[in-house]
Amino acid sequence: HLLLFLLFVGPFNCFASYSRATELFYSLNEGLPAGVLIGSLARDLRLPTAGGQRPAASQPPFSFTLASRGLGGQYVRLDNRSGELHTSAMEIDREALCVESSEATIIGGAAAVSSSSSSSPSSESCLLLLDVLVLPQEYFRLVKVKIAIRDVNDNAPRFPVPHIHLSVPENAPVNTRLAIEHPALDPDVGTNSVQTYRLRDNYGVFTLDVEENESGERTPYLIVMGALDREVRGEYVTVIVAEDGGTPPLVGSATLTISISDINDNCPQFSDSQLNVTLYGNSSLGTHVTTVHAVDVDLGSNAQITYSYSQKVPQPSRDLFHLDESTGAITLSSKVDGDTLSLHRLIVLGNGPGCIPAVITVLVTIIKVKMRPPEVVPRFIANEAEGVVYLKELEPVNTPIAFFTIKDPDEKYKVDCYLDGDGPFRLSPYKPYNNEYLLETTKPLDFETQQLYEISVVAWNSEGFRVNKTIKVQVLDDNDNSPVFSQQLIELSIEENNVPNAFLTKLHATDADSGERGQVSYFLGPDAPSYFSLDKTTGVLTVSTQLDREEKEKYRYTVKAVDSGFPPRESIATVTITVLDKNDNSPRFINKDFSFFVPENFPGFGEIGVISVTDADAGQNGWVALSVLNGSDIFVIDTGKGVLRAKVSLDREQQSSYVLWIEAVDGGDPALSSTAKITILLLDINDNPPLVLFPQSNMSYLLVLPSTLPGSPITEVYAVDKDTGMNAVIAYSIIGRRGPRPESFRIDPKTGNITLEESLMQNDYGLYRLLVKVSDHGYPEPLHSTVMVNLFVNDTVSNESYIESLLRKEPDISVEEKQPQISIEPTHKKMESASCMPTLVALSIISLGSIALVTGMGIYICLRKGKKHHRADENLEVQIPLNGRINLHMLEKKPVEISNI
């Protein structure tokens, strides 16, 4: 809007001002606090105010305004009058402000740029661009302000991965260079970026070098400085450290693992160069002659060895002796006859990939036997195939295996035989035949103990020649083993409120049988709840629903492991699951609202009531502490037992009820709480006597005219009682009288109104003093107060001082023990049957009291007649000559001191 205004007011001046655009360059470090001076536009533009020149008096002051509030305006504060630029409260972070890109991000007329071509800023500078308008109109300029943000070393180098793996072949020559693919990164620039790398431990065979490309990126290279041998050491673990060039320098590190890869740099080697072996000429086919063994310390395919005869070995020897190319075993493959050579030189080669074969020489000497060896002829009873006898493991003891016939072909020598080898077998003569032997078992066979036996029937003659007949006995497996759990009692625990399908454990049972007979499947027992699941194959036990400890804390059920034999065998284990408590239940009060009725004046710290609260959680989560939220200066609660007490005695007349809020907090973390409302109602006790409000003083009096008609109200006694109920029901009675004819006045026991009973005569003039008892109906003991009502019967009051002197005299009044009679209207027409009995008792007591009262009144009347003349004398004392007339009114009323009689 300011620009539009200038265009309309002075278009030519505006155009001239725009032609005077100016650029200013500033620089400052990143991270400076608010209020740091960047530069003064007025001084740097050499405006008149900057050089001490003052503009004319009529000339308005200079004004400096940012053309727009963009990104640059957030980081600087421009003084509109002085033109000073300061840093703002927003701290400048060069790494966040300037991305490493050649393009500027323009935001609202300001830009943050990583500039690569500028006369003032360096190639690594980060610029804030500001447009500032200078006014008034005759000095108008558009100033381009460029602020270069200088980098400070506030970022440490950081490797993108914590572990770097590098593989080096063991035949790598010295000075081999291997690039480390994950160089360290540092957001800082220039010398504050990564400068050097080093190894904490180079093991004497490695070092690091750094190469910098055209864009300034530095890449570390691992250089091999010594010979490597995988067979000596296959792996090196060290730490690579990157360090920047700041002051002080910052570092970052990562673990560098250098693996030495194997090459085929070792060939097979025999431990001996020659083996000497002796073989009897009567050895049977397949007889083991010897085994050659070579070693290659390389790995994998580089260490594979095959064995072969050298071309120097003649064909007859090759035909006579078989060489296994994998194991190096040499066995007799042809029968030795009279034409067979006695000495055979077997040259065996150990061949490795890409290696010169290793050589070993085997010299086999054959000892010729002139006589024929004994013959061993087997006849198998058990199943046999290719020299292997198959027996089931459940076969009984003494199961026959084979018959053996032992004989001498020349029939010249005696032949004996015996059984050689370990196992539950026995070879015994089979009578009555000669040279017949039976091979049988001596113990039950157990497949799980041993599956294969190799035994030999050895026959020898008297000349010492021996013949071996080797037999292999293969034990066949039967389903004779049940699955066995690793634990018979599996004790588990899980926190309540678990996620559905939570993992509990993985059951494991083993079966010593083989094949399908040893395959185990898992099943839940019939007592397992439906929300537990057991994977048949893997044995993984899960629970499909959330468990609640407060609902059930312990689970106990069985699981079965069943094999696949026929018939299948099974075993049972017991699973116990304890649901661990979480603090998921708030304390719960038995009632949300508690009410307690307490008599007032209850002693301090007496028990008002018990607040019952429970928490379904267990342990510390179920511990509950009670506290009073309000009224804590009066009430206190026993946090352990929940007993509510008052610190002081309570007075119903001061406050009739209290409302408290009790908070229950459990011991969980975080703790849960709940509140309950407590209402304490104070029951009234009769602790306040009636308070007489009128008459206000025992010294006040009232003039009664003789002409007053009988039944007319004279005055009243008015009293109140702070108690409530029956304790506040007030009855009035006259308990003492003095005057010429004191029975002339009566008081209403309910209202306290005093009326004239009889007409006043000439002899009745004088001062009447009535002692009125004001009594409540409290229980167990009613309280009362007394007040003196003074009545002066005369036509006028002419001598007040005389009346006052009579009032000051202590009256000689005998107290009547007459109880006031007052009927109390019931508040409820219907009363419960439980309240009838106290009412009957009270009525009986009142009846007895009435009889006593009537008797007392009769005695009192008799005594009163005897004192009639004495009263006449007293009347003379209170009669006052009446001179003059006064208005009939009540004299000053004063408060009455209340005393209990």
Side-chain angles (χ1 to χ4, degrees):
H1 294 93
L2 179 60
L3 290 174
L4 292 175
F5 173 78
L6 293 174
L7 286 173
F8 282 110
V9 172
F12 299 105
N13 291 337
C14 276
F15 291 134
S17 298
Y18 272 115
S19 66
R20 289 159 42 188
T22 308
E23 283 192 355
L24 293 179
F25 292 96
Y26 299 103
S27 64
L28 75 158
N29 291 341
E30 64 173 325
L32 293 178
V36 175
L37 177 64
I38 301 174
S40 174
L41 302 185
R43 183 187 64 232
D44 297 335
L45 293 174
R46 293 189 175 88
L47 298 178
T49 57
Q53 302 176 6
R54 297 288 180 181
S58 61
Q59 178 182 328
F62 287 100
S63 174
F64 301 87
T65 308
L66 288 175
S68 64
R69 292 279 181 180
L71 178 63
Q74 301 177 11
Y75 296 99
V76 299
R77 179 172 52 82
L78 176 61
D79 191 304
N80 295 336
R81 294 299 180 187
S82 67
E84 290 185 348
L85 272 176
H86 294 83
T87 56
S88 68
M90 182 176 291
E91 184 179 294
I92 299 176
D93 184 359
R94 181 191 175 282
E95 289 74 32
L97 184 65
C98 295
V99 296
E100 295 184 3
S101 172
S102 60
E103 298 180 357
T105 304
I106 306 299
I107 304 177
V113 189
S114 290
S115 176
S116 59
S117 61
S118 176
S119 60
S120 294
S122 66
S123 60
E124 297 175 348
S125 64
C126 170
L127 298 181
L128 280 179
L129 302 184
L130 305 173
D131 291 341
V132 180
L133 299 177
V134 182
L135 297 174
Q137 182 177 351
E138 57 269 23
Y139 290 96
F140 174 77
R141 293 186 187 182
L142 174 61
V143 182
K144 299 284 187 178
V145 180
K146 296 183 179 180
I147 303 174
I149 309 303
R150 292 192 296 267
D151 182 51
V152 298
N153 191 25
D154 57 347
N155 292 280
R158 183 178 61 85
F159 286 90
V161 293
H163 299 279
I164 302 175
H165 296 273
L166 197 62
S167 179
V168 182
E170 64 176 327
N171 64 341
V174 176
N175 293 328
T176 298
R177 300 170 67 85
L178 299 168
I180 297 176
E181 297 180 355
H182 302 285
L185 304 176
D186 194 330
D188 296 324
V189 297
T191 58
N192 293 330
S193 63
V194 178
Q195 300 296 314
T196 60
Y197 291 86
R198 68 175 185 274
L199 296 176
R200 287 189 183 172
D201 188 356
N202 57 18
Y203 297 98
V205 292
F206 300 105
T207 188
L208 288 179
D209 189 18
V210 180
E211 291 186 3
E212 185 174 355
N213 59 16
E214 295 179 356
S215 63
E217 295 180 351
R218 296 174 181 265
T219 303
Y221 281 81
L222 181 71
I223 302 177
V224 179
M225 301 297 295
L228 303 176
D229 189 351
R230 188 208 62 79
E231 287 73 35
V232 176
R233 183 163 188 169
E235 186 179 74
Y236 297 86
V237 180
T238 184
V239 175
I240 182 172
V241 179
E243 183 176 313
D244 62 22
T247 304
L250 302 177
V251 297
S253 62
T255 302
L256 177 62
T257 301
I258 305 170
S259 301
I260 310 302
S261 59
D262 183 53
I263 64 170
N264 191 24
D265 58 345
N266 291 280
C267 291
Q269 295 289 334
F270 287 107
S271 59
D272 297 317
S273 60
Q274 180 174 311
L275 289 176
N276 297 318
V277 180
T278 300
L279 182 68
Y280 287 102
N282 60 350
S283 298
S284 58
L285 297 179
T287 299
H288 179 265
V289 177
T290 189
T291 299
V292 295
H293 181 68
V295 177
D296 191 329
V297 294
D298 289 328
L299 293 177
S301 60
N302 295 331
Q304 290 182 353
I305 301 175
T306 59
Y307 301 94
S308 63
Y309 283 128
S310 171
Q311 295 180 358
K312 296 179 181 181
V313 178
Q315 190 63 40
S317 296
R318 291 171 180 262
D319 296 338
L320 185 61
F321 300 102
H322 172 73
L323 173 62
D324 190 301
E325 65 176 6
S326 298
T327 64
I330 300 175
T331 56
L332 185 63
S333 59
S334 297
K335 200 167 186 179
V336 177
D337 54 22
D339 299 330
T340 304
L341 297 176
S342 299
L343 180 63
H344 294 265
R345 185 182 182 87
L346 306 177
I347 300 174
V348 179
L349 304 178
N351 305 293
C355 290
I356 299 175
V359 180
I360 187 172
T361 301
V362 180
L363 294 178
V364 181
T365 302
I366 298 177
I367 300 175
K368 297 294 184 68
V369 179
K370 294 180 181 180
M371 63 181 65
R372 290 188 294 177
E375 293 181 357
V376 178
V377 181
R379 289 170 292 167
F380 292 97
I381 303 172
N383 294 330
E384 180 267 342
E386 297 181 357
V388 179
V389 177
Y390 296 92
L391 292 177
K392 292 184 177 181
E393 64 175 329
L394 297 181
E395 293 288 349
V397 179
N398 299 325
T399 296
I401 299 174
F403 278 112
F404 289 89
T405 301
I406 309 300
K407 62 181 179 179
D408 181 13
D410 298 328
E411 297 183 356
K412 295 181 181 180
Y413 307 99
K414 182 181 178 182
V415 179
D416 292 322
C417 71
Y418 65 91
L419 187 64
D420 186 22
D422 296 329
F425 305 103
R426 176 176 60 214
L427 183 66
S428 56
Y430 190 72
K431 297 179 180 180
Y433 303 103
N434 294 326
N435 298 330
E436 295 288 341
Y437 294 87
L438 176 64
L439 179 63
E440 59 186 353
T441 61
T442 60
K443 292 181 180 179
L445 302 178
D446 188 359
F447 174 85
E448 289 72 35
T449 303
Q450 187 170 345
Q451 294 85 33
L452 182 65
Y453 295 91
E454 188 170 339
I455 56 178
S456 298
V457 176
V458 181
W460 83 97
N461 59 17
S462 58
E463 295 298 322
F465 289 99
R466 297 173 182 268
V467 175
N468 294 343
K469 181 62 179 179
T470 301
I471 301 173
K472 294 182 179 180
V473 178
Q474 177 68 52
V475 181
L476 300 178
D477 187 30
D478 207 340
N479 193 28
D480 61 338
N481 290 280
S482 299
V484 177
F485 280 100
S486 56
Q487 293 176 287
Q488 287 298 314
L489 178 61
I490 304 165
E491 296 179 328
L492 306 174
S493 63
I494 184 174
E495 279 194 343
E496 63 176 330
N497 303 331
N498 54 283
V499 297
N501 300 318
F503 172 83
L504 293 175
T505 189
K506 183 177 182 180
L507 303 180
H508 181 65
T510 56
D511 194 317
D513 295 324
S514 62
E516 293 184 353
R517 292 174 290 274
Q519 294 180 358
V520 180
S521 299
Y522 302 92
F523 302 94
L524 290 172
D527 54 345
S530 60
Y531 39 84
F532 288 96
S533 300
L534 180 60
D535 189 279
K536 175 182 178 182
T537 305
T538 63
V540 173
L541 181 63
T542 57
V543 56
S544 60
T545 187
Q546 283 190 346
L547 300 180
D548 187 357
R549 188 204 65 82
E550 289 72 36
E551 181 178 337
K552 189 170 183 179
E553 184 178 8
K554 295 281 187 180
Y555 294 88
R556 185 183 181 94
Y557 54 85
T558 57
V559 290
K560 295 191 298 183
V562 183
D563 63 22
S564 301
F566 184 79
R569 300 174 70 96
E570 66 180 39
S571 62
I572 297 176
T574 300
V575 176
T576 63
I577 300 175
T578 301
V579 182
L580 303 179
D581 184 54
K582 290 180 70 176
N583 193 27
D584 58 344
N585 289 278
S586 301
R588 184 175 180 182
F589 289 93
I590 300 302
N591 298 309
K592 293 303 292 183
D593 294 324
F594 290 84
S595 296
F596 296 106
F597 295 88
V598 181
E600 64 173 329
N601 301 332
F602 195 68
F605 292 97
E607 181 178 326
I608 295 176
V610 177
I611 311 301
S612 299
V613 63
T614 60
D615 194 314
D617 293 322
Q620 187 172 349
N621 295 332
W623 295 351
V624 179
L626 297 175
S627 61
V628 181
L629 295 180
N630 62 324
S632 58
D633 54 339
I634 299 178
F635 297 93
V636 66
I637 190 167
D638 187 334
T639 185
K641 298 180 180 179
V643 177
L644 182 64
R645 305 176 189 274
K647 299 179 182 178
V648 297
S649 180
L650 303 179
D651 188 356
R652 190 204 62 81
E653 286 71 39
Q654 293 183 2
Q655 186 170 342
S656 62
S657 64
Y658 295 87
V659 177
L660 306 179
W661 289 95
I662 304 297
E663 182 183 37
V665 181
D666 63 21
D669 185 16
L672 300 177
S673 64
S674 61
T675 57
K677 180 181 178 183
I678 311 297
T679 302
I680 301 174
L681 301 174
L682 297 183
L683 300 177
D684 184 53
I685 64 173
N686 194 26
D687 59 343
N688 290 281
L691 175 63
V692 177
L693 299 181
F694 184 82
Q696 297 180 352
S697 171
N698 288 334
M699 301 297 294
S700 62
Y701 65 95
L702 180 67
L703 177 65
V704 180
L705 297 178
S707 60
T708 303
L709 298 177
S712 300
I714 304 300
T715 186
E716 69 171 344
V717 177
Y718 179 70
V720 294
D721 196 315
K722 294 181 180 180
D723 295 322
T724 60
M726 295 296 294
N727 296 331
V729 176
I730 298 176
Y732 302 88
S733 62
I734 300 175
I735 61 173
R737 304 168 185 262
R738 186 173 181 181
R741 193 154 55 94
E743 65 273 9
S744 301
F745 300 94
R746 67 175 296 273
I747 189 168
D748 189 299
K750 292 176 61 177
T751 64
N753 291 331
I754 298 177
T755 56
L756 180 64
E757 287 290 294
E758 301 174 359
S759 298
L760 297 174
M761 311 300 274
Q762 184 66 30
N763 295 334
D764 295 334
Y765 286 32
L767 180 63
Y768 290 77
R769 309 196 72 178
L770 306 178
L771 181 60
V772 178
K773 178 180 179 181
V774 183
S775 176
D776 60 24
H777 284 67
Y779 178 82
E781 183 69 28
L783 301 179
H784 65 271
S785 302
T786 59
V787 65
M788 187 69 72
V789 178
N790 302 301
L791 302 176
F792 184 61
V793 178
N794 207 340
D795 292 324
T796 60
V797 177
S798 60
N799 193 346
E800 295 183 7
S801 60
Y802 178 71
I803 298 175
E804 291 177 357
S805 65
L806 293 177
L807 293 176
R808 283 194 292 270
K809 292 182 180 180
E810 186 68 27
D812 184 13
I813 300 177
S814 59
V815 178
E816 303 173 2
E817 294 300 330
K818 178 181 179 182
Q819 297 295 330
Q821 301 297 318
I822 181 172
S823 62
I824 302 171
E825 296 182 359
T827 58
H828 300 283
K829 293 182 179 181
K830 295 183 179 180
M831 301 180 63
E832 298 180 359
S833 60
S835 62
C836 292
M837 185 59 69
T839 303
L840 294 175
V841 173
L843 292 174
S844 301
I845 295 174
I846 293 173
S847 300
L848 294 175
S850 300
I851 296 172
L853 180 60
V854 171
T855 305
M857 290 179 64
I859 297 173
Y860 172 73
I861 292 172
C862 296
L863 294 175
R864 183 173 171 275
K865 290 182 178 180
K867 297 180 180 180
K868 183 175 180 181
H869 298 287
H870 180 69
R871 281 201 309 271
D873 296 337
E874 289 179 346
N875 291 339
L876 296 177
E877 294 178 0
V878 298
Q879 288 181 356
I880 301 173
L882 301 178
N883 298 321
R885 301 176 61 88
I886 61 172
N887 294 329
L888 297 178
H889 65 278
M890 291 171 29
L891 299 180
E892 179 188 1
K893 300 179 180 179
K894 298 181 181 179
V896 179
E897 285 191 11
I898 301 174
S899 61
N900 296 333
I901 300 179

